[in-house]
Amino acid sequence: MSLARVFAPVALAAVLAAGCGPKTVYGLSSDDNNAERLGAALAKRAVAKADAPLNALGKPLVFAAVGGAKKQLVAFDAGAGSALWTVDADVQSRVAVAGELVVAKEAGGVVVRKLADGSVRAKLALAGELVGVTTDGERVYVVVQAGTGPKPVWSLIAYSGDGSQLWQNDSPGALGAPVAQGGLVLSPFLKQWLAVLDARTGAQLTRVRGLDEEISELRVTATAAFFGSKAGVFRLDDKAATGSRAGATYGTVTLPKELATADYGHDAFDPVQAGYSAFDRRRILWRADPTADGPFRWSGELIAVHFFRFVFGLTPAGEFRWAYSHPRVELVASEHAGPVIVAVAGDGTLVALDAATGAVRASAKLEVGGPVLGATIDCDGWAPSDAGEAPSTVTALATIARDRDARFEAIKQYAVATMAKLEGADVTRDLVALVVDPRTPIKLHDTVADLLVARKDPTGLPALIDALAVRPDFLTNTQPVGLIEVGRAIGALGGVSLPEAEQARAMAALELQAFDPATAAPARLELVRALIAIGHGRERARLKAELVQYRADPGFAAEADLVVAMTAAVAAGGPEDREVVRWIAADARSHPAVAAAAQAALQPASQP
Amino acid sequence: MRKLLVAILFGLVATASAQPAQPARPAAPARPVRAKPGKVDVAKATAALRGADVAAAAKAAAELGGSPDPAHHEPLLDALATGVHPDVLVAGLTALTGTATKTDLQAIGAYVRYRNGAVRAAALRAFSKSIGDPTLVIESLSVFDAPVRAAAAEAAGRMKLTAAVPALLVLLDKGEAPAALALGAMADEALARTVAEHLGVAPDATLAVALGAMLTRLEFGPETIRVDLVRTLSKLSGVEALDALEGYVEIAPENPPRQSRREAEAVLKARQGDR
């Protein structure tokens, strides 16, 4: 029997049982932004006192849609680390969860399942394209768009948990996916209004009109409701009736440009986002603390940004705090649950990251037979007992920077720029590792090289010296990499006070590479410049010997910048040094270019 | 001034972190140029060395360095110590290869890591011929300059430097003929078998050079290994294998009869058409 033949009688029976036809409550004119009516509506709303999962079990649950040959819906108890149930289901929308109900579009229509075991409680036929579905645990609310052509109609239809239609509101304009909470249904209309409806009857109680920005994103938790757009978030409280950012409890965060494409929530009007999609992998994860009368307050003064495989902890001003890099596979779903950020990867791995530190406080694996396409995370308030170990931020950022996925170039740029702001030898070591890795993309390589120079971090000198330790070896086909960049970075330390022993080590390493026959001319130039920069005159004896030995060599003379740098450095020394330079300038055997450089170095203007 | 420059360059030799072992040399004095009677006009050569004419200086360097009289080396050593054109360096160092005295070696040693490959190779030849420095030779086998590697391989073979064998085998696999010749020059039975095991790894031509170099050593043996090498050569493609077999047939005595020679002749006869 086809699903259509199953659903059709149910739908018909539902319409008949409703006992009343659809009514139109949406219109361009209404008593918008009425503070009194909004206050009254919110006063009716039943909300929890503390963050908690919306499901009736009160457990932190994850509902994962699994693709592949055998499509399934898995309910996973994150607290217990085990599956609650697994059912065969071709999930085609987000899964909505509240109370005893688990609701999603599956092949053919909307299916209402029992929380306890995943069994089917009701099936609802769809009279159009699904825009969104939600539940408050008592009823199921479905928005569909019917009719194509000049006069499409959007309908918000309420059903009982058993599939009986309770009411239907039609709209000539676009309705977005609704959310429901404590006796209210919040229904966005034409991206401009948020209709607040009585969940029992569908009657409009009041309506908020966005004056400063559109209303396209909604979110409810056990304790609060929010609406907003890509630009920011409004708390649905009495002040929301102002409809303005200034008058309402409104929050927005400043993201680094590399993460700026992340959204606060799902676009309720985008049919693609009615289901799980790539948008779920690029999100701002946030919670807001209740405020009596004050401004919007982000919980813990921190937010997080989920960006495919990575999660970054940031301040609302966009300042970096921590990073998490998930190994190998992408995180397909994520949610800020309060104490932790819960995320599910495509291979079924579940992680709970401490919202303040990024420490992994819990991890588990959903046993799935195929890729996880997306998940609904109902874990609000979940605080795993393990505090976790705060991860090495540098390591996490370095891991991100070294990622081989070409899609993440901007994120890698962000990671290295963030790394470079951190102090410590490890940072320099990781940056050097990126510079000397031939697989590092050119643009990223150049960025890292510039950052290394700009750091001027003396604690990183040992890492730079170590980078010079690789010797050219024809037998093993080994060649030192990144000599130019490392030379520039060491040279940048010229004005920094270095411990004498470190300075001596650095000079020895620089000399070894600079004057190795296998070193290419551009690298030799930077290495010698570094030698001069940190040597403070100690390099002169070696430079003088090199000048004497190579002064007649056309190969050396061709390295014009090197010749100039060396002659100038030696000429800046004492009378004996200048005497050597003078002799090089005058001796017939000196290459003319070298002699000219020596002559120029002796001029007063060239003296440092 | 010259004294100062000599001190500067010898200071480089003494302070550079990876210079070869040096024989003792007294503190560098100024080197008076003493013309001596004989074939070399030292005064003229010295003047040429101090001039801007590179060709003339190179000729003078060759004359002075080639002189068996150590005193004739003095102007050349001064030139080495104060820096001259690479052509002059090559000429002088090459000339010193057969005549260098202990006191010449410090100046020569300053050029074993010179950036110009030809100069470096010449210095390495002169240095290693006069004083075998195993560390320097082995180190020079791994440099990227082919002429330097060739000079080092040649020195390793001449010194029968067994410590260099691992590096030479790598170079053999990379197709370097000088390394093959070095292995051929120093191989005993065990090393010969090791080299033969590189069949299929080293290029046939290079392996043939190595095996041929072994077989053409009159003292190389015993006969069992000669037979094995001939058989290995018979499996190699290319004229180099035939050259090696021919070379062996030429030097191998007819009597007493050798199985290895008979087999080599048989292979040559069978592969006449390969040339």
Side-chain angles (χ1 to χ4, degrees), chain A residues 280-312:
Chain A
D280 293 280
R281 303 169 191 193
R282 207 175 52 205
R283 296 189 55 207
I284 302 169
L285 306 173
W286 56 274
R287 290 190 82 80
D289 295 331
T291 52
D293 204 25
F296 195 97
R297 193 164 67 213
W298 305 99
S299 295
E301 287 300 314
L302 283 177
I303 56 118
V305 175
H306 165 197
F307 210 93
F308 296 92
R309 297 219 327 267
F310 317 118
V311 185
F312 298 94

mmCIF file of all heavy atoms in Angstrom, chain A residues 280-312:
data_model
loop_
_atom_site.group_PDB
_atom_site.id
_atom_site.type_symbol
_atom_site.label_atom_id
_atom_site.label_comp_id
_atom_site.label_asym_id
_atom_site.label_seq_id
_atom_site.Cartn_x
_atom_site.Cartn_y
_atom_site.Cartn_z
ATOM 1 N N ASP A 280 23.648 23.956 8.634
ATOM 2 C CA ASP A 280 23.800 23.489 10.020
ATOM 3 C C ASP A 280 25.265 23.363 10.416
ATOM 4 O O ASP A 280 25.573 23.104 11.573
ATOM 5 C CB ASP A 280 23.116 22.127 10.179
ATOM 6 C CG ASP A 280 21.616 22.241 10.029
ATOM 7 O OD1 ASP A 280 20.963 22.633 11.001
ATOM 8 O OD2 ASP A 280 21.108 21.978 8.914
ATOM 9 N N ARG A 281 26.148 23.486 9.457
ATOM 10 C CA ARG A 281 27.578 23.311 9.738
ATOM 11 C C ARG A 281 28.297 24.652 9.840
ATOM 12 O O ARG A 281 29.505 24.709 9.818
ATOM 13 C CB ARG A 281 28.208 22.454 8.630
ATOM 14 C CG ARG A 281 27.492 21.122 8.510
ATOM 15 C CD ARG A 281 27.873 20.332 7.289
ATOM 16 N NE ARG A 281 26.940 19.210 7.143
ATOM 17 C CZ ARG A 281 27.124 18.198 6.338
ATOM 18 N NH1 ARG A 281 28.197 18.137 5.595
ATOM 19 N NH2 ARG A 281 26.227 17.228 6.264
ATOM 20 N N ARG A 282 27.513 25.704 9.870
ATOM 21 C CA ARG A 282 28.109 27.046 9.859
ATOM 22 C C ARG A 282 27.228 27.937 10.715
ATOM 23 O O ARG A 282 26.441 28.719 10.210
ATOM 24 C CB ARG A 282 28.145 27.522 8.403
ATOM 25 C CG ARG A 282 29.218 28.520 8.084
ATOM 26 C CD ARG A 282 29.227 28.816 6.621
ATOM 27 N NE ARG A 282 27.919 29.196 6.127
ATOM 28 C CZ ARG A 282 27.512 29.064 4.865
ATOM 29 N NH1 ARG A 282 28.325 28.555 3.973
ATOM 30 N NH2 ARG A 282 26.302 29.435 4.497
ATOM 31 N N ARG A 283 27.350 27.788 12.011
ATOM 32 C CA ARG A 283 26.375 28.420 12.894
ATOM 33 C C ARG A 283 27.031 29.150 14.050
ATOM 34 O O ARG A 283 28.087 28.749 14.534
ATOM 35 C CB ARG A 283 25.458 27.343 13.477
ATOM 36 C CG ARG A 283 24.608 26.622 12.460
ATOM 37 C CD ARG A 283 23.600 25.768 13.194
ATOM 38 N NE ARG A 283 22.822 26.562 14.121
ATOM 39 C CZ ARG A 283 22.258 26.081 15.232
ATOM 40 N NH1 ARG A 283 22.406 24.809 15.544
ATOM 41 N NH2 ARG A 283 21.561 26.857 16.042
ATOM 42 N N ILE A 284 26.348 30.184 14.471
ATOM 43 C CA ILE A 284 26.720 30.807 15.749
ATOM 44 C C ILE A 284 25.964 30.044 16.829
ATOM 45 O O ILE A 284 24.743 29.850 16.734
ATOM 46 C CB ILE A 284 26.305 32.293 15.781
ATOM 47 C CG1 ILE A 284 26.962 33.047 14.624
ATOM 48 C CG2 ILE A 284 26.675 32.920 17.112
ATOM 49 C CD1 ILE A 284 26.402 34.449 14.424
ATOM 50 N N LEU A 285 26.673 29.586 17.826
ATOM 51 C CA LEU A 285 26.059 28.841 18.922
ATOM 52 C C LEU A 285 26.035 29.759 20.139
ATOM 53 O O LEU A 285 27.080 30.258 20.561
ATOM 54 C CB LEU A 285 26.866 27.567 19.203
ATOM 55 C CG LEU A 285 27.083 26.675 17.966
ATOM 56 C CD1 LEU A 285 28.029 25.536 18.289
ATOM 57 C CD2 LEU A 285 25.765 26.147 17.451
ATOM 58 N N TRP A 286 24.858 29.969 20.641
ATOM 59 C CA TRP A 286 24.738 30.975 21.688
ATOM 60 C C TRP A 286 23.620 30.649 22.651
ATOM 61 O O TRP A 286 22.712 29.872 22.337
ATOM 62 C CB TRP A 286 24.469 32.353 21.067
ATOM 63 C CG TRP A 286 23.252 32.365 20.163
ATOM 64 C CD1 TRP A 286 23.234 32.029 18.845
ATOM 65 C CD2 TRP A 286 21.907 32.673 20.523
ATOM 66 N NE1 TRP A 286 21.959 32.125 18.346
ATOM 67 C CE2 TRP A 286 21.122 32.519 19.368
ATOM 68 C CE3 TRP A 286 21.289 33.052 21.706
ATOM 69 C CZ2 TRP A 286 19.740 32.738 19.359
ATOM 70 C CZ3 TRP A 286 19.915 33.287 21.703
ATOM 71 C CH2 TRP A 286 19.152 33.130 20.516
ATOM 72 N N ARG A 287 23.690 31.228 23.786
ATOM 73 C CA ARG A 287 22.584 31.253 24.721
ATOM 74 C C ARG A 287 22.561 32.641 25.342
ATOM 75 O O ARG A 287 23.575 33.350 25.322
ATOM 76 C CB ARG A 287 22.742 30.196 25.824
ATOM 77 C CG ARG A 287 22.580 28.788 25.321
ATOM 78 C CD ARG A 287 22.491 27.819 26.467
ATOM 79 N NE ARG A 287 21.158 27.738 27.024
ATOM 80 C CZ ARG A 287 20.168 27.031 26.494
ATOM 81 N NH1 ARG A 287 20.354 26.345 25.372
ATOM 82 N NH2 ARG A 287 18.992 26.980 27.064
ATOM 83 N N ALA A 288 21.404 32.975 25.870
ATOM 84 C CA ALA A 288 21.294 34.298 26.485
ATOM 85 C C ALA A 288 20.723 34.155 27.880
ATOM 86 O O ALA A 288 19.789 33.371 28.097
ATOM 87 C CB ALA A 288 20.405 35.199 25.641
ATOM 88 N N ASP A 289 21.311 34.884 28.802
ATOM 89 C CA ASP A 289 20.812 34.864 30.177
ATOM 90 C C ASP A 289 19.620 35.791 30.283
ATOM 91 O O ASP A 289 19.580 36.841 29.625
ATOM 92 C CB ASP A 289 21.909 35.326 31.143
ATOM 93 C CG ASP A 289 23.073 34.354 31.165
ATOM 94 O OD1 ASP A 289 22.827 33.160 30.923
ATOM 95 O OD2 ASP A 289 24.207 34.790 31.430
ATOM 96 N N PRO A 290 18.689 35.410 31.135
ATOM 97 C CA PRO A 290 17.548 36.322 31.335
ATOM 98 C C PRO A 290 18.010 37.604 32.018
ATOM 99 O O PRO A 290 18.908 37.583 32.854
ATOM 100 C CB PRO A 290 16.612 35.515 32.242
ATOM 101 C CG PRO A 290 17.466 34.480 32.880
ATOM 102 C CD PRO A 290 18.590 34.197 31.945
ATOM 103 N N THR A 291 17.448 38.678 31.603
ATOM 104 C CA THR A 291 17.763 39.962 32.251
ATOM 105 C C THR A 291 16.454 40.613 32.624
ATOM 106 O O THR A 291 15.495 40.606 31.843
ATOM 107 C CB THR A 291 18.530 40.889 31.307
ATOM 108 O OG1 THR A 291 17.815 40.981 30.078
ATOM 109 C CG2 THR A 291 19.918 40.364 31.013
ATOM 110 N N ALA A 292 16.403 41.153 33.810
ATOM 111 C CA ALA A 292 15.153 41.741 34.293
ATOM 112 C C ALA A 292 14.763 42.923 33.414
ATOM 113 O O ALA A 292 13.680 42.971 32.861
ATOM 114 C CB ALA A 292 15.323 42.182 35.740
ATOM 115 N N ASP A 293 15.674 43.822 33.271
ATOM 116 C CA ASP A 293 15.323 45.004 32.490
ATOM 117 C C ASP A 293 16.527 45.536 31.715
ATOM 118 O O ASP A 293 16.492 46.648 31.199
ATOM 119 C CB ASP A 293 14.793 46.096 33.434
ATOM 120 C CG ASP A 293 13.909 47.071 32.684
ATOM 121 O OD1 ASP A 293 13.347 46.668 31.645
ATOM 122 O OD2 ASP A 293 13.813 48.231 33.121
ATOM 123 N N GLY A 294 17.540 44.727 31.712
ATOM 124 C CA GLY A 294 18.785 45.229 31.151
ATOM 125 C C GLY A 294 18.943 44.851 29.688
ATOM 126 O O GLY A 294 17.993 44.408 29.040
ATOM 127 N N PRO A 295 20.156 45.011 29.207
ATOM 128 C CA PRO A 295 20.404 44.697 27.797
ATOM 129 C C PRO A 295 20.515 43.191 27.599
ATOM 130 O O PRO A 295 20.561 42.415 28.554
ATOM 131 C CB PRO A 295 21.746 45.379 27.538
ATOM 132 C CG PRO A 295 22.432 45.364 28.867
ATOM 133 C CD PRO A 295 21.355 45.474 29.885
ATOM 134 N N PHE A 296 20.586 42.822 26.374
ATOM 135 C CA PHE A 296 20.779 41.417 26.008
ATOM 136 C C PHE A 296 22.115 40.951 26.590
ATOM 137 O O PHE A 296 23.117 41.664 26.518
ATOM 138 C CB PHE A 296 20.827 41.309 24.493
ATOM 139 C CG PHE A 296 20.670 39.924 23.965
ATOM 140 C CD1 PHE A 296 19.436 39.466 23.522
ATOM 141 C CD2 PHE A 296 21.743 39.059 23.903
ATOM 142 C CE1 PHE A 296 19.295 38.195 23.014
ATOM 143 C CE2 PHE A 296 21.608 37.780 23.416
ATOM 144 C CZ PHE A 296 20.374 37.344 22.952
ATOM 145 N N ARG A 297 22.116 39.750 27.184
ATOM 146 C CA ARG A 297 23.361 39.267 27.780
ATOM 147 C C ARG A 297 23.646 37.850 27.305
ATOM 148 O O ARG A 297 22.871 36.931 27.562
ATOM 149 C CB ARG A 297 23.252 39.291 29.303
ATOM 150 C CG ARG A 297 24.609 39.117 29.976
ATOM 151 C CD ARG A 297 24.578 39.520 31.439
ATOM 152 N NE ARG A 297 23.752 38.638 32.234
ATOM 153 C CZ ARG A 297 23.047 39.013 33.293
ATOM 154 N NH1 ARG A 297 23.049 40.273 33.673
ATOM 155 N NH2 ARG A 297 22.325 38.144 33.972
ATOM 156 N N TRP A 298 24.743 37.680 26.592
ATOM 157 C CA TRP A 298 25.157 36.368 26.117
ATOM 158 C C TRP A 298 25.667 35.557 27.301
ATOM 159 O O TRP A 298 26.462 36.059 28.100
ATOM 160 C CB TRP A 298 26.270 36.492 25.069
ATOM 161 C CG TRP A 298 25.916 37.371 23.916
ATOM 162 C CD1 TRP A 298 26.267 38.671 23.747
ATOM 163 C CD2 TRP A 298 25.125 37.022 22.791
ATOM 164 N NE1 TRP A 298 25.744 39.168 22.574
ATOM 165 C CE2 TRP A 298 25.024 38.162 21.952
ATOM 166 C CE3 TRP A 298 24.464 35.861 22.381
ATOM 167 C CZ2 TRP A 298 24.322 38.181 20.761
ATOM 168 C CZ3 TRP A 298 23.761 35.869 21.193
ATOM 169 C CH2 TRP A 298 23.690 37.005 20.401
ATOM 170 N N SER A 299 25.218 34.337 27.427
ATOM 171 C CA SER A 299 25.594 33.512 28.576
ATOM 172 C C SER A 299 27.108 33.376 28.663
ATOM 173 O O SER A 299 27.767 32.999 27.684
ATOM 174 C CB SER A 299 24.973 32.120 28.449
ATOM 175 O OG SER A 299 23.574 32.219 28.513
ATOM 176 N N GLY A 300 27.614 33.663 29.840
ATOM 177 C CA GLY A 300 29.053 33.522 30.064
ATOM 178 C C GLY A 300 29.882 34.498 29.269
ATOM 179 O O GLY A 300 31.101 34.366 29.182
ATOM 180 N N GLU A 301 29.215 35.450 28.669
ATOM 181 C CA GLU A 301 29.916 36.426 27.816
ATOM 182 C C GLU A 301 30.734 35.735 26.730
ATOM 183 O O GLU A 301 31.797 36.201 26.331
ATOM 184 C CB GLU A 301 30.817 37.353 28.653
ATOM 185 C CG GLU A 301 30.048 38.375 29.480
ATOM 186 C CD GLU A 301 29.185 39.296 28.608
ATOM 187 O OE1 GLU A 301 29.689 39.795 27.600
ATOM 188 O OE2 GLU A 301 27.987 39.452 28.920
ATOM 189 N N LEU A 302 30.253 34.593 26.332
ATOM 190 C CA LEU A 302 30.936 33.845 25.276
ATOM 191 C C LEU A 302 29.914 33.292 24.293
ATOM 192 O O LEU A 302 28.792 32.955 24.677
ATOM 193 C CB LEU A 302 31.722 32.661 25.858
ATOM 194 C CG LEU A 302 33.055 32.930 26.542
ATOM 195 C CD1 LEU A 302 33.603 31.633 27.092
ATOM 196 C CD2 LEU A 302 34.051 33.549 25.562
ATOM 197 N N ILE A 303 30.302 33.203 23.084
ATOM 198 C CA ILE A 303 29.524 32.478 22.091
ATOM 199 C C ILE A 303 30.488 31.486 21.435
ATOM 200 O O ILE A 303 31.679 31.471 21.754
ATOM 201 C CB ILE A 303 28.908 33.416 21.035
ATOM 202 C CG1 ILE A 303 30.013 34.266 20.364
ATOM 203 C CG2 ILE A 303 27.877 34.330 21.675
ATOM 204 C CD1 ILE A 303 30.156 34.040 18.922
ATOM 205 N N ALA A 304 29.963 30.679 20.558
ATOM 206 C CA ALA A 304 30.853 29.792 19.802
ATOM 207 C C ALA A 304 30.411 29.825 18.346
ATOM 208 O O ALA A 304 29.261 30.156 18.044
ATOM 209 C CB ALA A 304 30.803 28.372 20.342
ATOM 210 N N VAL A 305 31.330 29.528 17.488
ATOM 211 C CA VAL A 305 30.985 29.421 16.072
ATOM 212 C C VAL A 305 31.381 28.031 15.588
ATOM 213 O O VAL A 305 32.534 27.623 15.728
ATOM 214 C CB VAL A 305 31.706 30.492 15.221
ATOM 215 C CG1 VAL A 305 31.420 30.259 13.738
ATOM 216 C CG2 VAL A 305 31.253 31.879 15.628
ATOM 217 N N HIS A 306 30.373 27.330 15.105
ATOM 218 C CA HIS A 306 30.612 26.013 14.501
ATOM 219 C C HIS A 306 30.844 26.255 13.020
ATOM 220 O O HIS A 306 30.014 26.837 12.341
ATOM 221 C CB HIS A 306 29.387 25.121 14.748
ATOM 222 C CG HIS A 306 29.351 23.889 13.884
ATOM 223 N ND1 HIS A 306 28.204 23.149 13.689
ATOM 224 C CD2 HIS A 306 30.314 23.244 13.185
ATOM 225 C CE1 HIS A 306 28.460 22.129 12.893
ATOM 226 N NE2 HIS A 306 29.737 22.170 12.563
ATOM 227 N N PHE A 307 32.001 25.814 12.571
ATOM 228 C CA PHE A 307 32.329 25.998 11.147
ATOM 229 C C PHE A 307 32.847 24.667 10.613
ATOM 230 O O PHE A 307 34.026 24.366 10.722
ATOM 231 C CB PHE A 307 33.379 27.110 10.991
ATOM 232 C CG PHE A 307 33.283 27.851 9.700
ATOM 233 C CD1 PHE A 307 32.544 29.012 9.591
ATOM 234 C CD2 PHE A 307 33.920 27.377 8.571
ATOM 235 C CE1 PHE A 307 32.449 29.688 8.390
ATOM 236 C CE2 PHE A 307 33.833 28.050 7.368
ATOM 237 C CZ PHE A 307 33.084 29.209 7.273
ATOM 238 N N PHE A 308 31.938 23.878 10.121
ATOM 239 C CA PHE A 308 32.245 22.555 9.556
ATOM 240 C C PHE A 308 32.926 21.635 10.568
ATOM 241 O O PHE A 308 32.230 21.106 11.418
ATOM 242 C CB PHE A 308 33.033 22.698 8.255
ATOM 243 C CG PHE A 308 32.231 23.398 7.188
ATOM 244 C CD1 PHE A 308 32.295 24.764 7.018
ATOM 245 C CD2 PHE A 308 31.355 22.680 6.385
ATOM 246 C CE1 PHE A 308 31.521 25.412 6.069
ATOM 247 C CE2 PHE A 308 30.579 23.318 5.428
ATOM 248 C CZ PHE A 308 30.668 24.683 5.267
ATOM 249 N N ARG A 309 34.225 21.499 10.534
ATOM 250 C CA ARG A 309 34.866 20.586 11.477
ATOM 251 C C ARG A 309 35.350 21.309 12.732
ATOM 252 O O ARG A 309 35.868 20.684 13.639
ATOM 253 C CB ARG A 309 36.071 19.902 10.817
ATOM 254 C CG ARG A 309 35.714 19.023 9.640
ATOM 255 C CD ARG A 309 36.540 17.765 9.613
ATOM 256 N NE ARG A 309 37.870 17.935 10.106
ATOM 257 C CZ ARG A 309 38.932 18.222 9.351
ATOM 258 N NH1 ARG A 309 38.785 18.359 8.056
ATOM 259 N NH2 ARG A 309 40.117 18.331 9.875
ATOM 260 N N PHE A 310 35.187 22.599 12.753
ATOM 261 C CA PHE A 310 35.829 23.375 13.800
ATOM 262 C C PHE A 310 34.798 24.118 14.641
ATOM 263 O O PHE A 310 33.744 24.492 14.151
ATOM 264 C CB PHE A 310 36.793 24.393 13.185
ATOM 265 C CG PHE A 310 37.624 23.817 12.072
ATOM 266 C CD1 PHE A 310 37.543 24.308 10.782
ATOM 267 C CD2 PHE A 310 38.451 22.731 12.308
ATOM 268 C CE1 PHE A 310 38.291 23.761 9.756
ATOM 269 C CE2 PHE A 310 39.207 22.179 11.291
ATOM 270 C CZ PHE A 310 39.125 22.687 10.010
ATOM 271 N N VAL A 311 35.149 24.328 15.890
ATOM 272 C CA VAL A 311 34.327 25.161 16.760
ATOM 273 C C VAL A 311 35.263 26.161 17.437
ATOM 274 O O VAL A 311 36.315 25.783 17.965
ATOM 275 C CB VAL A 311 33.593 24.329 17.826
ATOM 276 C CG1 VAL A 311 32.657 25.227 18.631
ATOM 277 C CG2 VAL A 311 32.796 23.193 17.186
ATOM 278 N N PHE A 312 34.874 27.423 17.367
ATOM 279 C CA PHE A 312 35.689 28.476 17.977
ATOM 280 C C PHE A 312 34.894 29.123 19.106
ATOM 281 O O PHE A 312 33.729 29.491 18.917
ATOM 282 C CB PHE A 312 36.027 29.560 16.948
ATOM 283 C CG PHE A 312 36.848 29.059 15.787
ATOM 284 C CD1 PHE A 312 36.238 28.647 14.611
ATOM 285 C CD2 PHE A 312 38.228 28.982 15.884
ATOM 286 C CE1 PHE A 312 36.984 28.174 13.551
ATOM 287 C CE2 PHE A 312 38.990 28.510 14.824
ATOM 288 C CZ PHE A 312 38.365 28.100 13.659
#
